[in-house]
Amino acid sequence: MAFNNIDYCNEPIRKVYHELFDDALKRYNDRQTRADRKIENYYEKIRSSKQEKPFHELILQIGDKENMSAESENGTLARQILDEYYRGFQERNPQLKVFSAHLHMDEATPHLHIDFVPFTTGSKRGLDTRVSLKQALAAQGFKGGTRGDTEWNQWVSAEKSALAFVMERHGIEWEHKGTHEKHLSVLDYKKQEREKEINALEDKLVEKKDEFRVMADRIKNFDNGERALQNLDESIMNGPEYQLPEPSAMMSARSYKTKFVEPLVARFKSLISTLFARYFKALDSYHRLNITNGNLYRENEKLSKINGKLTEENTRLRAENKDYSLLRRVFGHKQIDSLLEQARNLKGQKRDYTRSR
């Protein structure tokens, strides 16, 4: 696959140093009154320096050999994306002079090597145009913060985002691995709060659904009771315990009444009394359950609507947060924070002006 490699440039680094710094070196040496302060070879001075490196390298790769093998169709797509990304590199980074850049397709996964010399102009110390990674990146808007938020880390993050933009245009989403933002943005916070509200509502919905199910089961029990009453009715009509036997030939009416009729009437009275008591109790419970069930149903519907609205809002916040994160990665935290501060100040000025009128 070597024939698919792309060599964008490969200039000797010493030549690049001459082009970038010879004029500044002459101006510096002309100002010196002592010979030992003059710099004979600026490249050798930087190469032996402990403060600056003569050049820096950025290596970028999309995917791995499992999903972006150089010999696969995806590998060809990765080559196209990396090529498109590199075409805008120098324009994005005017303070980083690229002298060697190669896109390799002859290894397991397509990857891009970019070697560059960082430089700053208008310096008041040493050469007015000199090597400085910190100042070069600062001139491009990357100002260092904490130890983990250095100019280099901010710049690398921005370049990854630039690559992510190209990837998205080709339908590939950048999967962040092993990264974690310690501090939440406002949108992150709102999204988390909405997710908490949604989770709480979902828990409440589950609880109400359980109550609803219990009520439904109890109503079902009443339906079963209705069937039991029908069975009782059939038993009364046809069951032997509720039937009067034929009197024997020698039995008097008084004896028949005492032995059969009165016990049967007593059983009926007891049964009817019990049935009436249970019926009115069941009827009262049934009405109360229906009212409770109706209230639960309406509350459940209301919670479902609220949950739907919160879900939509959370989706919108997630999309806004994605855009917000991309802006931070591309333009840097410092620039975005500065813009936000300006916006807040402007809003405060408008509010103060409105109050004073």
Side-chain angles (χ1 to χ4, degrees):
M1 297 290 288
F3 62 90
N4 282 329
N5 292 345
I6 302 178
D7 294 322
Y8 297 102
C9 61
N10 189 21
E11 297 182 63
I13 189 171
R14 293 175 184 273
K15 177 186 175 184
V16 172
Y17 264 70
H18 284 305
E19 292 174 354
L20 285 175
F21 307 115
D22 272 4
D23 290 344
L25 179 61
K26 184 178 185 306
R27 288 191 294 271
Y28 173 81
N29 286 336
D30 287 346
R31 293 197 305 269
Q32 306 308 312
T33 57
R34 290 171 46 182
D36 61 340
R37 288 184 177 271
K38 293 184 179 182
I39 300 172
E40 184 177 348
N41 188 316
Y42 187 59
Y43 172 74
E44 290 298 332
K45 176 178 173 58
I46 295 299
R47 193 170 68 87
S48 59
S49 169
K50 294 182 179 180
Q51 294 181 339
E52 296 287 351
K53 296 179 180 179
F55 72 94
H56 293 264
E57 182 177 38
L58 179 67
I59 302 175
L60 291 168
Q61 173 180 310
I62 300 174
D64 52 39
K65 64 181 181 180
E66 301 298 329
N67 50 38
M68 283 287 178
S69 170
E71 298 180 354
S72 68
E73 184 177 344
N74 283 345
T76 303
L77 177 60
R79 179 181 186 272
Q80 183 180 351
I81 292 171
L82 289 171
D83 177 64
E84 187 176 330
Y85 159 82
Y86 175 75
R87 301 292 177 184
F89 182 87
Q90 193 66 83
E91 183 180 355
R92 286 192 307 274
N93 299 284
Q95 301 301 123
L96 310 179
K97 173 62 178 176
V98 178
F99 66 92
S100 177
H102 309 276
L103 199 165
H104 289 280
M105 294 291 292
D106 53 354
E107 297 178 31
T109 308
H111 56 279
L112 179 66
H113 289 260
I114 304 175
D115 296 336
F116 57 87
V117 177
F119 66 94
T120 182
T121 58
S123 176
K124 299 185 183 303
R125 181 172 59 85
L127 277 67
D128 51 40
T129 298
R130 62 185 178 87
V131 173
S132 174
L133 178 66
K134 183 181 181 70
Q135 295 303 322
L137 295 180
Q140 294 183 186
F142 301 99
K143 303 291 180 67
T146 61
R147 179 177 295 182
D149 191 31
T150 62
E151 294 89 351
W152 175 263
N153 289 343
Q154 292 176 20
W155 174 75
V156 169
S157 178
E159 285 302 305
K160 286 182 179 179
S161 296
L163 178 60
F165 274 122
V166 180
M167 291 168 61
E168 287 180 359
R169 285 201 295 270
H170 289 270
I172 299 177
E173 185 176 356
W174 178 22
E175 180 182 355
H176 300 261
K177 293 184 177 180
T179 60
H180 177 66
E181 292 292 336
K182 184 176 180 181
H183 300 290
L184 295 174
S185 68
V186 174
L187 288 172
D188 285 323
Y189 177 76
K190 287 184 177 179
K191 185 178 72 174
Q192 280 200 354
E193 291 303 303
R194 289 295 178 271
E195 287 177 347
K196 288 179 183 177
E197 291 179 22
I198 289 172
N199 290 334
L201 278 172
E202 286 178 347
D203 291 340
K204 195 168 185 179
L205 277 172
V206 170
E207 179 185 338
K208 294 301 178 183
K209 285 178 180 177
D210 289 340
E211 291 182 23
F212 187 86
R213 194 177 298 109
V214 170
M215 296 301 175
D217 289 341
R218 294 180 71 176
I219 291 173
K220 184 179 179 181
N221 290 336
F222 280 113
D223 293 336
N224 293 335
E226 185 178 359
R227 284 192 292 273
L229 286 174
Q230 292 174 352
N231 294 335
L232 178 61
D233 178 66
E234 185 177 349
S235 177
I236 291 173
M237 296 298 295
N238 303 312
E241 67 273 24
Y242 294 108
Q243 307 301 318
L244 285 172
E246 291 292 331
S248 61
M250 301 300 294
M251 182 176 288
S252 65
R254 185 180 182 86
S255 296
Y256 184 78
K257 177 185 176 184
T258 302
K259 188 174 181 179
F260 295 109
V261 176
E262 289 180 352
L264 180 60
V265 170
R267 284 199 296 273
F268 271 123
K269 285 181 178 180
S270 175
L271 177 62
I272 291 170
S273 176
T274 302
L275 284 175
F276 268 109
R278 291 183 178 178
Y279 170 75
F280 286 116
K281 183 179 179 180
L283 188 63
D284 181 62
S285 297
Y286 186 79
H287 285 308
R288 284 191 286 107
L289 281 173
N290 267 338
I291 293 171
T292 304
N293 197 33
N295 291 337
L296 282 172
Y297 179 80
R298 286 188 291 273
E299 187 175 356
N300 200 30
E301 287 291 302
K302 182 180 178 181
L303 287 172
S304 295
K305 290 179 181 178
I306 294 173
N307 191 32
K309 289 180 180 178
L310 286 173
T311 301
E312 290 177 3
E313 185 176 355
N314 199 38
T315 301
R316 179 179 58 79
L317 285 170
R318 188 177 287 110
E320 290 180 5
N321 187 56
K322 184 178 180 182
D323 295 339
Y324 181 71
S325 298
L326 284 174
L327 286 173
R328 277 192 172 275
R329 287 197 297 270
V330 172
F331 296 105
H333 295 286
K334 297 290 184 181
Q335 287 190 8
I336 296 299
D337 289 340
S338 176
L339 288 172
L340 286 172
E341 185 64 27
Q342 292 177 31
R344 293 190 190 101
N345 292 336
L346 182 60
K347 185 177 180 181
Q349 291 171 5
K350 289 182 177 179
R351 184 168 55 248
D352 294 340
Y353 175 74
T354 303
R355 289 175 180 173
S356 63
R357 292 183 63 183

